[in-house]
Amino acid sequence: RSLGTTDDTATLDSRVGELQVQLDRAHAQILTADMVRKELEDTLEAEQYTWELRVQDQERQIGELQADCQELSREVESTRAQWKEAEDSWLRGKTTPRSLAGGAKDNDDTTSQLQQKIDALERERAELQGCLDEALKELEAVDEELKTNGGSTTQGAAVE
């Protein structure tokens, strides 16, 4: 048999054609996979940037809340000091017995006002502390998610 027969040539041409189609398909799959990988990388990069902005915003908010808490703590301490001073003054009896009746009412009003202010400041401080705690938890969750996403992205890229 000679290699130049028409049947042999047609068989070889057919086989070469099949292999060329398979090669073209494989090449198309590679290009598609590369496009998907690039799209996923771009999406990941955008999400990381978004999370970084969120983390920065949360850190800024935490700083503001901490400053507010410190200011409220100072106000509470100042109010307590004023209250203690007013209470000591009243107990020392700086007022005469005659003015004590009128002064007692003023002191009661002042004491009541100071107590109300202290209560309001303590409630506000507790609320701000709760917000601060919540913001810290969110920041920790975001940080953990960034760590988790960073690790899974690396593994996902290696698999492809």
Side-chain angles (χ1 to χ4, degrees):
R1 291 179 46 153
S2 72
L3 291 176
T5 67
T6 310
D7 289 339
D8 288 341
T9 304
T11 303
L12 286 176
D13 286 346
S14 172
R15 183 68 181 139
V16 167
E18 289 175 16
L19 291 174
Q20 184 63 44
V21 168
Q22 287 178 356
L23 180 62
D24 289 345
R25 285 183 185 155
H27 189 257
Q29 287 175 341
I30 290 171
L31 290 175
T32 301
D34 283 345
M35 288 178 7
V36 168
R37 180 191 50 79
K38 178 65 176 151
E39 186 177 315
L40 289 172
E41 285 175 354
D42 291 347
T43 301
L44 174 65
E45 187 177 309
E47 285 184 18
Q48 285 176 331
Y49 179 73
T50 300
W51 279 108
E52 287 173 10
L53 291 177
R54 288 181 182 174
V55 167
Q56 290 173 2
D57 186 50
Q58 290 292 319
E59 288 173 343
R60 181 190 54 76
Q61 288 179 0
I62 287 170
E64 290 173 358
L65 290 172
Q66 286 174 332
D68 288 347
C69 285
Q70 290 171 351
E71 182 180 337
L72 288 172
S73 292
R74 284 190 298 271
E75 286 182 23
V76 165
E77 290 306 315
S78 173
T79 303
R80 283 185 178 152
Q82 289 173 356
W83 184 11
K84 179 71 174 150
E85 183 180 310
E87 188 177 55
D88 288 346
S89 174
W90 184 76
L91 290 175
R92 283 194 307 262
K94 285 189 170 183
T95 57
T96 61
R98 187 159 203 242
S99 64
L100 187 58
K105 183 177 186 300
D106 290 341
N107 281 336
D108 285 344
D109 288 344
T110 302
T111 302
S112 175
Q113 290 172 351
L114 288 173
Q115 183 61 46
Q116 288 174 355
K117 186 173 182 180
I118 287 173
D119 291 343
L121 288 172
E122 286 178 346
R123 282 191 304 272
E124 188 173 351
R125 182 187 180 283
E127 182 179 325
L128 287 172
Q129 187 63 46
C131 290
L132 178 60
D133 292 344
E134 185 177 318
L136 284 171
K137 286 179 186 176
E138 283 185 36
L139 182 59
E140 289 169 355
V142 166
D143 187 42
E144 186 61 34
E145 186 170 333
L146 285 174
K147 287 179 185 176
T148 302
N149 284 344
S152 66
T153 301
T154 304
Q155 292 171 356
V159 171
E160 291 181 16

